């Protein structure tokens, strides 16, 4: 059955022989083109579209509307990595705003966040970390006598070190024992296994440094000034009135007597070469307080050795160590000479020094002091 729309088309094509040849040639070209592109799926729709368009232009009358091709179905399948595509689009839009890229600091990002909201009427919670009284609290150790600040870590560590040396003695090491084995000048009789070593200007640098180590402990406990090395290991000239006319003589100024037990120094005595001293007013010593200075008489006496400082470690006191040191001083300060006690003088003594001097010289005998330079 034929329709009324197809009859005019047949009559038009049959009535025009030139259009029949053109139509055959066109259909041939279309078939050849469709064979060439049939293997390409992406171009199939475009070829069919062009084929339908050309065919409509040649065969469809102007009064008929052109056939509408249905558009290809939309791809409704969601991409597998669609979130990456969205992130890329966001990054691209943000990076094309004309500003250069810069490094992001986490601190600045955190600081840019809004601060936490505070409730109206509430006060911030404060925590006291340290109590400030305006000054550091100092403490004096009852055992070693050192003044220090307990809240200061460095000060507390220094006190602990000094406290241990003051209590048990200063460890000078086995190397000091070996280096000074030939200088053991006195075997202590009042202290078991004790001996005394002399360190003077002619001693080795190691022995001098160890002696200085002990003297630093003594200076801190007695609150006495530190003697510099150039003075401690120096020489002094003998006064001219004690020599023949025109002659000079230099002698060592200081000598250090170290009372040792094994490698630990438990007592020490710093001696000084002197030439005169003054007798102590014994009556005034008995009347004066424990911490007061002794008074002297106007008389001047000849002297040879002065006891500048004498010390015993806390755990070794009342064992005769100080008396051992004094016995060694009178026997070995000047080689081959036993110094008379009346020519031995003390520097301004402490309360313990007074008791030691009276025990050494005798309760009924006179003893002397000298003025340190």
């Amino acid at each position: 059955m034929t329709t009324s729309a197809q009859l005019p088309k047949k009559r038009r094509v049959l009535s025009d022989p030139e259009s029949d040849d053109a139509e055959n040639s066109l259909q041939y070209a279309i078939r050849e083109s469709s064979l060439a592109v049939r293997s390409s799926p992406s171009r199939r729709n475009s070829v069919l579209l062009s084929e339908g368009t050309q065919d409509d232009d040649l065969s469809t009358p102007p009064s008929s509307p052109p056939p509408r091709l249905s558009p290809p179905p939309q791809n409704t399948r969601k991409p597998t990595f669609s979130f990456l595509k969205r992130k890329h689009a966001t990054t691209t839009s943000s990076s094309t705003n004309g500003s250069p890229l810069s490094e992001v600091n986490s601190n600045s990002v955190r600081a840019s966040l809004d601060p936490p909201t505070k409730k109206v009427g509430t006060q911030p919670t404060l925590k006291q970390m340290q109590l400030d009284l305006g000054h550091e609290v100092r403490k004096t150790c009852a055992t070693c006598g050192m003044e220090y600040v307990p809240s200061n870590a460095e000060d507390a560590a220094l006190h602990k070190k000094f406290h241990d040396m003051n209590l048990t003695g200063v460890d000078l090491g086995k190397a000091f024992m070996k280096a000074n084995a030939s200088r053991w000048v006195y075997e202590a009789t009042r202290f078991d296994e004790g001996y005394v070593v002399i360190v003077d200007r002619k001693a080795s640098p190691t022995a001098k440094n160890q002696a200085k180590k002990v003297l630093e402990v003594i200076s801190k406990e007695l609150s006495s000034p530190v003697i510099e090395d150039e003075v401690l290991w120096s020489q002094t000239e003998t006064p001219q009135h004690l020599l023949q006319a025109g002659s000079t003589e230099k002698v060592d100024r200081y000598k250090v007597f170290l009372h040792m037990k094994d490698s630990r120094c438990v007592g020490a005595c710093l001696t000084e070469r002197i030439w005169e001293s003054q007798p102590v007013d014994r009556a005034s010593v008995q009347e004066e307080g424990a911490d007061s200075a002794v008074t002297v008489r106007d008389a001047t006496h000849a002297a040879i050795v002065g006891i500048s400082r004498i010390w015993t470690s806390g755990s070794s006191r009342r064992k005769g160590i100080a008396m051992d040191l004094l016995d060694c001083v009178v026997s070995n300060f000047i080689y081959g000479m036993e110094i008379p006690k009346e020519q031995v003088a003390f520097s301004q003594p402490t309360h313990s020094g007074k008791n030691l001097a009276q025990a050494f010289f005798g309760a009924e005998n006179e003893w002397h002091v000298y003025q340190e330079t």
Side-chain angles (χ1 to χ4, degrees):
M1 180 178 181
T2 59
T3 60
S4 60
Q6 291 177 344
L7 293 176
K9 183 175 180 182
K10 275 187 177 182
R11 286 195 299 269
R12 183 180 176 184
V13 173
L14 295 175
S15 62
D16 193 353
E18 295 179 359
S19 63
D20 188 12
D21 296 336
E23 182 178 1
N24 294 333
S25 300
L26 181 59
Q27 292 178 357
Y28 178 77
I30 291 172
R31 286 196 299 272
E32 293 296 330
S33 301
S34 62
L35 292 175
V37 299
R38 186 170 297 172
S39 61
S40 177
S42 61
R43 298 181 59 188
R44 189 175 300 166
N45 291 334
S46 61
V47 173
L48 292 177
L49 181 60
S50 63
E51 180 181 0
T53 304
Q54 293 177 2
D55 183 59
D56 291 340
D57 291 343
L58 296 176
S59 60
T60 305
S63 61
S64 302
R68 295 186 179 182
L69 300 177
S70 60
Q74 296 182 356
N75 187 9
T76 60
R77 181 173 177 270
K78 187 177 179 181
T80 305
F81 302 99
S82 58
F83 66 95
L84 295 178
K85 187 175 182 180
R86 289 195 301 270
K87 184 179 293 187
H88 175 71
T90 305
T91 306
T92 305
S93 61
S94 61
S95 61
T96 55
N97 56 0
S99 60
L101 298 177
S102 60
E103 182 180 357
V104 178
N105 190 349
S106 60
N107 294 331
S108 62
V109 173
R110 189 178 296 107
S112 64
L113 299 177
D114 294 335
T117 58
K118 297 182 179 180
K119 295 182 180 180
V120 179
T122 59
Q123 296 294 333
T125 303
L126 301 179
K127 184 177 181 181
Q128 185 172 353
M129 303 299 296
Q130 186 175 1
L131 183 62
D132 186 7
L133 299 178
H135 64 279
E136 295 179 330
V137 179
R138 304 187 69 85
K139 180 181 178 181
T140 301
C141 180
T143 302
C144 65
M146 180 178 177
E147 190 180 53
Y148 67 103
V149 180
S151 60
N152 189 320
E154 183 179 357
D155 216 24
L158 183 63
H159 165 255
K160 183 179 183 304
K161 181 179 179 181
F162 174 77
H163 183 90
D164 294 341
M165 290 190 298
N166 181 274
L167 185 63
T168 61
V170 183
D171 191 2
L172 302 182
K174 295 182 179 180
F176 177 82
M177 294 176 57
K178 294 179 181 179
N180 295 275
S182 61
R183 298 179 64 86
W184 295 357
V185 297
Y186 182 81
E187 291 294 336
T189 58
R190 297 181 178 88
F191 189 66
D192 295 340
E193 302 176 2
Y195 58 93
V196 179
V197 175
I198 298 178
V199 180
D200 55 16
R201 185 181 60 88
K202 297 180 290 293
S204 65
T206 302
K208 291 179 180 179
N209 291 334
Q210 297 294 66
K212 283 280 293 182
K213 188 176 179 181
V214 177
L215 291 177
E216 288 176 359
V217 176
I218 300 175
S219 298
K220 288 180 181 179
E221 182 174 352
L222 301 180
S223 300
S224 56
V226 177
I227 303 175
E228 300 297 332
D229 289 355
E230 51 270 16
V231 177
L232 183 61
W233 311 121
S234 65
Q235 290 183 308
T236 183
E237 292 187 359
T238 304
Q240 193 63 43
H241 68 275
L242 299 177
L243 300 174
Q244 296 180 356
S247 62
T248 58
E249 181 184 13
K250 287 186 177 181
V251 294
D252 293 346
R253 183 170 181 177
Y254 288 98
K255 291 184 181 181
V256 184
F257 291 76
L258 302 178
H259 199 298
M260 306 293 297
K261 178 176 175 58
D262 298 330
S263 63
R264 189 174 294 274
C265 177
V266 295
C269 181
L270 177 63
T271 60
E272 181 180 2
R273 182 68 169 95
I274 61 174
W275 284 270
E276 61 182 26
S277 63
Q278 292 178 292
V280 175
D281 186 356
R282 296 178 68 251
S284 63
V285 172
Q286 295 176 356
E287 295 176 358
E288 292 174 354
D291 296 331
S292 59
V294 298
T295 59
V296 296
R297 300 198 300 268
D298 293 336
T300 301
H301 296 262
I304 295 177
V305 57
I307 308 299
S308 175
R309 300 163 195 179
I310 189 167
W311 164 84
T312 304
S313 63
S315 60
S316 300
R317 291 173 184 172
R318 300 185 181 277
K319 295 182 179 181
I321 292 178
M323 297 297 290
D324 273 343
L325 286 169
L326 293 176
D327 289 342
C328 183
V329 168
V330 298
S331 302
N332 297 276
F333 184 79
I334 296 179
Y335 180 75
M337 178 181 178
E338 185 79 15
I339 301 175
K341 287 186 177 181
E342 56 269 19
Q343 293 190 357
V344 177
F346 279 73
S347 63
Q348 193 63 244
T350 61
H351 176 66
S352 299
K354 296 176 187 177
N355 295 334
L356 176 63
Q358 290 179 349
F360 177 70
F361 291 105
E364 302 298 328
N365 297 329
E366 185 180 66
W367 54 283
H368 301 76
V369 297
Y370 76 102
Q371 184 69 33
E372 289 187 282
T373 57

